[in-house]
Amino acid sequence: MILTVTPNPAWDLTCVVDRLRPGTSHVIGATTRRAGGKGVNVASVLAEAGVPVTALIPLADDGPARDYTGDLLARAVPHRVVPSGT
């Protein structure tokens, strides 16, 4: 069993553009958001590879925390949340 610790959980945002043109403005097409942070990303890859893993994540008990853990559950990333006290 591998335990990853993510002291600073984050949302990873990916934006799609048709092509990059240096020195110009770009219009963003589709965007995706997923739970991230180094330990979460490592745990996600290990879980997909079938390696027993648990991601330890400090989170507050508010709306964004529920969204974050819901995303982890949808992606089948085993995790435990530790209340952050904020």
Side-chain angles (χ1 to χ4, degrees):
M1 165 65 79
I2 295 176
L3 175 68
T4 65
V5 180
T6 305
N8 191 21
W11 284 110
D12 292 339
L13 180 65
T14 302
C15 301
V16 177
V17 295
D18 288 335
R19 85 178 220 222
L20 292 176
R21 295 175 200 96
T24 65
S25 296
H26 295 84
V27 176
I28 296 173
T31 62
T32 57
R33 179 182 78 160
R34 62 189 278 165
K38 297 284 189 225
V40 168
N41 295 339
V42 169
S44 178
V45 170
L46 291 173
E48 283 184 32
V51 176
V53 62
T54 298
L56 185 65
I57 309 157
L59 290 173
D61 284 337
D62 60 4
R66 283 189 294 272
D67 292 345
Y68 194 92
T69 55
D71 182 69
L72 292 173
L73 288 171
R75 291 175 26 222
V77 178
H79 63 280
R80 294 240 171 160
V81 173
V82 177
S84 67
T86 59

